[in-house]
Amino acid sequence: MCVNHEELIPQFRSYLKKMADYHSAIALLEWDARTHMPKNGIVGRSQAIATLSGEAFRMSVSEQMEQFLDQLGSHTEQLDPITLRLVEESQRTFDRSKKIPPDRYEAFVALTSEAQSVWEVARENNDFATFAPFLESIVDMTREFVDDWGYENHPYDTLLDQYEVGMTVSILDELFSGLRKDTVSLLNKIEAKPHIHTEILERFYDPEKQKAFSEFILREMGYDFQSGRLDETAHPFATGIAPGDVRITTHYYPHFFNAAMFGSIHEGGHALYEQGISSDLIGTPLHMGTSMGIHESQSRFWENTIGRSYEFWQCYYGDLQSYFPESLGDVTLDEFYSAINAVRPSLIRIEADEVTYNLHIMLRYEMEKGLIANTLSVKDLPELWHESMKTNLGVTPRNDAEGVLQDVHWSGGMFGYFPSYALGNIYAAQFTQAIERDLPDFKDRIKHGRLLEIREWLGQNIHQYGSLLKPAEILKQATGETIDAKPLVSYLQQKFSGLYHL
Amino acid sequence: MCVNHEELIPQFRSYLKKMADYHSAIALLEWDARTHMPKNGIVGRSQAIATLSGEAFRMSVSEQMEQFLDQLGSHTEQLDPITLRLVEESQRTFDRSKKIPPDRYEAFVALTSEAQSVWEVARENNDFATFAPFLESIVDMTREFVDDWGYENHPYDTLLDQYEVGMTVSILDELFSGLRKDTVSLLNKIEAKPHIHTEILERFYDPEKQKAFSEFILREMGYDFQSGRLDETAHPFATGIAPGDVRITTHYYPHFFNAAMFGSIHEGGHALYEQGISSDLIGTPLHMGTSMGIHESQSRFWENTIGRSYEFWQCYYGDLQSYFPESLGDVTLDEFYSAINAVRPSLIRIEADEVTYNLHIMLRYEMEKGLIANTLSVKDLPELWHESMKTNLGVTPRNDAEGVLQDVHWSGGMFGYFPSYALGNIYAAQFTQAIERDLPDFKDRIKHGRLLEIREWLGQNIHQYGSLLKPAEILKQATGETIDAKPLVSYLQQKFSGLYHL
């Protein structure tokens, strides 16, 4: 068959652009539902999101798409690199999606959209019972999807593959088992030392000033407010609505400093990734982060490697004191640096320190495996959560709001997502080693607030590619390595040996 | 042919529901573009709106739609009243839309979406030259559409018909000629009297307090903040995003009282209409106001007949004084009532008094007729605007921001819309006569803040029907009359004879 690529490629690109427009509208409908939508808008909103998602889904599995993929896929030698990747990614989505009946998918989107609102109220009221039936339906439907997709070894593998191509239970079990051992060992040494005092973080921090200081730091990082905005939501998130419109949210607590500050930097890290993707990829499904793990590596890198470093606060602590003279005027840089890095097993994942954070992830990872393998049921989650927290972290939630209800992910049906956070920490440490190789004065640059130069490195080595390269390719190209938890362990050992005089 | 209506009607309704979901997403994309979107989001936003509008448009003229209309339309005796109207309205849209090539329509949507942003900047910078090429393209494309649609007498008729079914240049010319004569006669008498002082309205009114008081009054009117919200934009508007989500905006000037107060009440009047439509019509194109004229009758009724009445402020002036004790503490109710009703020919339509308001509309109406009939070109607009303002109102704009650039409508391609405002005033006066017939103590109810009872009358007689009844049917059913400007003239003569001691 003779294919006229000169006509076909623009048609394919235009088809993908239309899908991108649907996803742009969906992203705004979801952002608005969590920021500004009046309460009674939820039913209409869920339906609109379901309709648009269903339509984008249909386009990804349509006969038209099949024809594009057949015709372009049989002449890959004639394709430019971007079109080649577009065909490959579209084929991957086609193969996965073709196995799900469109009406099941649409029902799942409607269910999770409503469940997220139910979860918000349930969390506020510490009321797992209201949320449980929604979660049961979500788990049931997810198991159906897993059966439709099929899997080789563990049913959870195919869920992981959605967020991190090629990731499996077998790889994760090994990575996590080493990381857990080293983490527990480090944690035991830290726990034997005197606690670092963190009371200063619970003084009064005027939310308006927190907002202003967050905006200041985001600008220093290179976040472009002409192409984004910062709002407040219950649970912080970043969302790319369009190439020139990447929004972030945070949450201000008047008596807790860390949440908004490090939440803003974290989400800002995500946003810099999206804002830094090459404009060549606009209007295609490659104009997004290549995986959730790589995405998290960017947010965790900014939040921890930069935002919780001594050098960062050598540069900005004076500014911070001038925003909060009454709460920080009598606190030295070293006291502040210790407080924001204090290690103490705690209940809430997003407020966890760098050492114990991955233990929170592993707890969720084990539960998700159980739910999907049908060896664990939703009704047993609150009890198991309490026990696991006690066993793994030595602390016990007082209620479900501090336990099983704390995260938004399950209400959105995002099983397989949580491991991305630990992968993000692992990748971030590997990237940091590469940055230190390329920029030997890395720490000095942080100390002088030359954050834009660090962003530049990330842009060159990671951001610009969007999804043009796969996670392992990005990692290999930037660091020369394959995935490895050792740099993370070294980083943690070195940083916390200093802090705790180990 | 034997048609199975039991299957066909739900399919038709489901098809319409999908279109309603598209329109819901488009409404949010547009609302966000004017309230919260970062600057660089505009290109992606315009494309997303164009794609979704194009898709909704295609659905309205698809073969599937044609089949629905053929099959249901040939058995109308078997249809329930709602389905019958849905078929009738869908057929009307089909017939109109079928004449426009889809790519032309999509281009028009993209053009007007971008033009609205260009207009906002142009208006701010008093820079007609930047906006002019956009307006020229919009006029050219509109003329093409007029040719596609065809017309019997005047090319402008088919544009009027979009917003007010059955309205024509011939009817309007006659209505307006009488209204103009009576208005000028009343205005001459008023101008011969001493000016009413309005300086008190230009004292300092803290925008935060204006917002709080607007919200208070909106609640008094029955506007439901669980099903809507109030934001600030350059140009106020109301938009129904979904049945439980009808949003309004206003604009606060620290040194001008009227704009936000009467703007909020005006947009609130629109919103009450949308919030009051029967839930039987949810998910159909009948879940909206039946025409722009009837819609404007609701906003103008609340803004003027209620909001600028003596009785209204007998009830609420004490509250208002407590919000602004420094600016209104020394102002009597009678002075305040006179000031907010002062008649003085002025430059800005949305700030015009009740007497001169319709003259602003007639000026735009004449220009639109000229642009569409190709007897007037865009480049001549600023000059003509200056001259017409001088001739008709005796005032001259200092610049185009106060002149031809003041309204958003043309940037949105909404030719044929402006007459709706005058029709709204005319209808509102006719409805008021009917209310006074049904509720003889109407004014007493206002005086005691029993606004919900007035809303109830509007809900019963107008709101609930959405587009189930046509404008003339609503008017006939509620008032027993056909359209007539005399009640408006009587209302104005009576009100302003009192105010100006004529």
Side-chain angles (χ1 to χ4, degrees), chain A residues 17-18 21-22 24-25 28-29 31-32 36-41 44-45 47-48 51-52 55 58 224-229 241-242 244-245 247, chain B residues 17-18 21-22 24-25 28-29 31-32 36-41 44-45 47-48 51-52 55 58 224-229 241-242 244-245 247:
Chain A
K17 176 68 178 68
K18 189 173 168 186
D21 285 336
Y22 280 97
S24 179
L28 181 69
L29 289 162
W31 175 85
D32 181 79
H36 294 305
M37 187 184 71
K39 190 167 161 257
N40 294 335
R45 182 59 50 88
Q47 290 169 357
T51 293
L52 265 61
E55 193 55 32
R58 272 186 203 93
D224 176 6
F225 277 90
Q226 302 272 297
S227 300
R229 48 180 292 131
I241 290 169
D245 189 357
R247 306 184 185 187
Chain B
K17 176 68 177 68
K18 189 172 167 188
D21 285 336
Y22 280 96
S24 179
L28 181 69
L29 289 161
W31 174 85
D32 181 80
H36 295 307
M37 186 185 71
K39 190 168 161 254
N40 294 334
R45 181 59 49 89
Q47 290 169 357
T51 293
L52 264 61
E55 193 54 33
R58 272 186 203 92
D224 176 6
F225 277 90
Q226 303 271 298
S227 300
R229 47 180 292 131
I241 290 170
D245 189 356
R247 305 183 186 187

Side-chain angles (χ1 to χ4, degrees), chain B residues 112-147:
Chain B
T112 52
S113 177
E114 195 182 350
Q116 285 180 56
S117 293
V118 171
W119 165 78
E120 265 192 39
V121 179
R123 179 199 194 209
E124 204 165 302
N125 300 338
N126 180 31
D127 171 20
F128 183 71
T130 307
F131 177 56
F134 286 86
L135 185 54
E136 274 165 17
S137 303
I138 291 170
V139 170
D140 287 345
M141 289 190 78
T142 304
R143 282 201 208 109
E144 283 176 34
F145 294 162
V146 167
D147 287 340

Side-chain angles (χ1 to χ4, degrees), chain B residues 313-437:
Chain B
W313 293 107
Q314 279 184 299
C315 181
Y316 295 110
Y317 188 60
D319 294 314
L320 184 66
Q321 283 181 309
S322 75
Y323 274 73
F324 303 104
E326 290 178 8
S327 293
L328 293 175
D330 64 342
V331 178
T332 66
L333 168 61
D334 283 35
E335 286 166 342
F336 176 77
Y337 172 69
S338 295
I340 60 168
N341 281 295
V343 174
R344 191 172 305 178
S346 66
L347 297 166
I348 305 296
R349 174 184 61 85
I350 59 167
E351 292 165 12
D353 59 79
E354 287 183 80
V355 174
T356 58
Y357 188 92
N358 298 309
L359 298 175
H360 288 265
I361 299 306
M362 295 177 204
L363 176 147
R364 287 156 178 76
Y365 168 65
E366 294 299 331
M367 287 187 187
E368 291 196 349
K369 281 197 295 184
L371 286 169
I372 298 307
N374 215 351
T375 57
L376 170 64
S377 67
V378 165
K379 69 170 169 28
D380 298 326
L381 280 176
E383 183 62 27
L384 179 61
W385 193 287
H386 279 57
E387 283 170 23
S388 301
M389 284 300 288
K390 203 171 173 184
T391 313
N392 286 283
L393 283 129
V395 291
T396 314
R398 287 164 301 183
N399 55 51
D400 292 333
E402 290 181 347
V404 66
L405 283 173
Q406 71 182 265
D407 292 306
V408 70
H409 306 65
W410 290 349
S411 71
M414 297 164 78
F415 291 98
Y417 188 107
F418 276 121
S420 312
Y421 294 108
L423 291 173
N425 291 332
I426 291 167
Y427 289 139
Q430 293 188 269
F431 288 136
T432 305
Q433 279 196 344
I435 297 175
E436 286 175 328
R437 173 200 66 201

Side-chain angles (χ1 to χ4, degrees), chain B residues 202-312:
Chain B
E202 288 161 20
R203 292 177 175 177
F204 176 67
Y205 295 90
D206 179 352
E208 282 303 314
K209 289 190 181 169
Q210 289 193 57
K211 181 164 187 285
F213 192 76
S214 290
E215 287 171 351
F216 164 64
I217 292 295
L218 285 164
R219 285 200 177 85
E220 288 288 298
M221 290 164 60
Y223 177 77
D224 176 6
F225 277 90
Q226 303 271 298
S227 300
R229 47 180 292 131
L230 174 65
D231 291 88
E232 185 172 12
T233 50
H235 192 99
F237 66 99
T239 179
I241 290 170
D245 189 356
V246 183
R247 305 183 186 187
I248 58 180
T249 73
T250 193
H251 192 87
Y252 306 103
Y253 296 90
H255 287 279
F256 185 50
F257 175 79
N258 285 9
M261 177 80 274
F262 297 106
S264 298
I265 299 177
H266 178 99
E267 303 305 336
H270 283 302
L272 289 185
Y273 190 4
E274 301 262 338
Q275 287 184 342
I277 299 173
S278 163
S279 59
D280 295 344
L281 302 176
I282 286 177
T284 79
L286 303 180
H287 197 278
M288 55 164 63
T290 190
S291 75
M292 289 305 120
I294 299 291
H295 231 310
E296 281 299 317
S297 78
Q298 297 310 291
S299 52
R300 301 291 291 174
F301 172 81
W302 281 103
E303 177 189 351
N304 293 327
T305 318
I306 303 290
R308 281 192 168 89
S309 69
Y310 191 73
E311 293 79 10
F312 182 81

Side-chain angles (χ1 to χ4, degrees), chain A residues 281-474:
Chain A
L281 302 177
I282 286 176
T284 80
L286 304 180
H287 197 277
M288 55 164 63
T290 189
S291 75
M292 288 306 117
I294 298 292
H295 231 310
E296 281 299 319
S297 78
Q298 297 311 291
S299 53
R300 302 290 291 173
F301 172 82
W302 281 103
E303 176 188 352
N304 292 326
T305 319
I306 304 289
R308 280 192 168 89
S309 70
Y310 191 73
E311 294 79 11
F312 182 82
W313 293 106
Q314 280 184 299
C315 180
Y316 295 110
Y317 188 59
D319 295 314
L320 184 66
Q321 283 181 309
S322 76
Y323 275 74
F324 304 104
E326 290 178 7
S327 293
L328 292 175
D330 63 343
V331 178
T332 67
L333 168 60
D334 284 33
E335 287 166 342
F336 176 77
Y337 172 68
S338 295
I340 60 168
N341 281 294
V343 175
R344 192 171 305 178
S346 66
L347 296 166
I348 304 296
R349 175 185 60 83
I350 59 167
E351 291 165 12
D353 58 78
E354 287 184 79
V355 175
T356 58
Y357 188 92
N358 298 308
L359 298 174
H360 288 265
I361 299 306
M362 294 176 206
L363 176 146
R364 288 157 177 76
Y365 168 65
E366 295 299 331
M367 287 185 187
E368 290 196 349
K369 283 199 294 185
L371 287 170
I372 298 307
N374 215 350
T375 57
L376 171 63
S377 67
V378 164
K379 70 171 169 27
D380 297 327
L381 280 175
E383 184 62 27
L384 178 60
W385 193 287
H386 279 57
E387 283 169 22
S388 301
M389 283 300 289
K390 203 171 175 185
T391 313
N392 287 282
L393 284 130
V395 290
T396 314
R398 287 166 301 185
N399 55 50
D400 292 333
E402 291 182 345
V404 66
L405 283 173
Q406 71 183 264
D407 292 306
V408 70
H409 306 64
W410 291 348
S411 72
M414 299 164 78
F415 291 97
Y417 188 107
F418 277 121
S420 312
Y421 294 108
L423 293 172
N425 291 331
I426 291 167
Y427 289 139
Q430 293 188 269
F431 288 136
T432 304
Q433 279 196 344
I435 297 175
E436 286 175 329
R437 175 199 67 202
D438 293 347
L439 313 173
D441 59 343
F442 168 61
K443 292 195 170 167
D444 207 52
R445 296 190 196 210
I446 302 174
K447 188 170 144 186
H448 292 97
R450 290 157 61 186
L451 306 182
L452 297 183
E453 298 166 19
I454 294 162
R455 191 212 170 166
E456 176 72 15
W457 188 96
L458 298 169
Q460 286 297 321
N461 288 278
I462 301 165
H463 300 174
Q464 64 162 322
Y465 297 108
S467 301
L468 193 58
L469 301 181
K470 293 175 192 169
E473 291 170 338
I474 295 262

